[in-house]
Each structure stands twice: as structure tokens, then as C-alpha cells.
Amino acid sequence: ECIDEHQHPLSAEPNFVPMRLLKLEAKAGRVHNLRLVADMEQAVQYLAMSYCWGGEQNQKTTTANLKEKQQSISFDTLPRTLQDAVEVTAGLVYEYIWIDSLCIIQDDEADKSTEITQMPLD
């Protein structure tokens, strides 16, 4: 209903895709793993989650763990809030989700500045 009834906030750029997205990997209908993918060759549909962290996060992307997160992020290591978002994404039959703490390199000020300025305010 949202896709059919509401104008997309980035309608001026319908093919916009952020620099990085999380790709869900599921077996038998259950998400067991994610991985960070970058530089998508074409636009894909994805869900997005940005939220108030409430303190330091143990699961975030940094320059030191970027390559590791591009290989694998275990679903079971995510905080419950992020697990819920991933499960909703899978339940709505989306393959990708953008979560700020994982899709923005948190210790790279240039990356943060670039990615945050592209986030819609609505």
C-alpha cells in the first residue's frame, strides 16, 4: 500500500541507492546472515531504518571491520531492534535494508557526511 499510495520522498531521484546496503541471506525462510554490499550496479528496492541508538553500539561498521562486514554479519550478533528490522524486511519480501549504524562507516567523517546528507528528512 505504501509503495502504491505514497509519493516516494526521493522521487526526483527514483534510481537512488545508498553507497552501501545490507543484503539478507536466508535459509528455509529464516535470515541467518547479512553482508554489506557496496556500489550497487543498478537500483534495487530496499527498506531503511534510522534510529536513536541510545548509547554505544557493539555492532557498527568501522574502517577496521568494513571488509569483515562485507563478508558476513551474523544475524544472531545483532541487537534485538536490528534483528526485528531485518525480520520485517524479510517478511515483506525485501532482500535489502539500509541501517545507519551498519551502512555508514562510523569512524570515517567523510563517509558519514556524504551519507547523512543524502538521508531524507521526512
Side-chain angles (χ1 to χ4, degrees):
E1 182 178 323
C2 292
I3 291 169
D4 292 338
E5 300 292 327
H6 299 284
Q7 181 178 351
H8 190 283
L10 298 176
S11 58
E13 298 180 56
N15 294 322
F16 171 79
V17 177
M19 177 133 355
R20 286 172 288 280
L21 288 168
L22 292 165
K23 180 176 174 129
L24 283 61
E25 297 174 355
K27 286 184 182 173
R30 185 184 184 287
V31 175
H32 66 93
N33 196 56
L34 301 112
R35 64 185 172 88
L36 199 55
V37 295
D39 302 321
M40 303 292 290
E41 292 183 19
Q42 61 184 9
V44 295
Q45 288 191 329
Y46 63 94
L47 299 184
M49 176 183 179
S50 181
Y51 63 105
C52 182
W53 294 3
E56 187 63 26
Q57 298 294 295
N58 64 352
Q59 272 289 355
K60 63 183 177 183
T61 299
T62 63
T63 53
N65 67 20
L66 177 60
K67 289 193 186 308
E68 173 188 323
K69 295 215 181 294
Q70 289 173 324
Q71 297 298 314
S72 177
I73 303 168
S74 172
F75 175 82
D76 295 330
T77 66
L78 297 175
R80 187 68 211 165
T81 302
L82 302 188
Q83 287 181 356
D84 289 347
V86 168
E87 287 176 334
V88 166
T89 301
L92 293 172
V93 197
Y94 280 79
E95 190 174 3
Y96 297 93
I97 184 170
W98 183 91
I99 299 174
D100 55 1
S101 61
L102 294 169
C103 294
I104 297 174
I105 302 171
Q106 298 299 315
D107 61 350
D108 182 329
E109 292 304 317
D111 191 70
K112 282 171 49 174
S113 178
T114 299
E115 294 297 298
I116 288 171
T117 58
Q118 294 186 60
M119 293 171 62
L121 299 175
D122 296 344

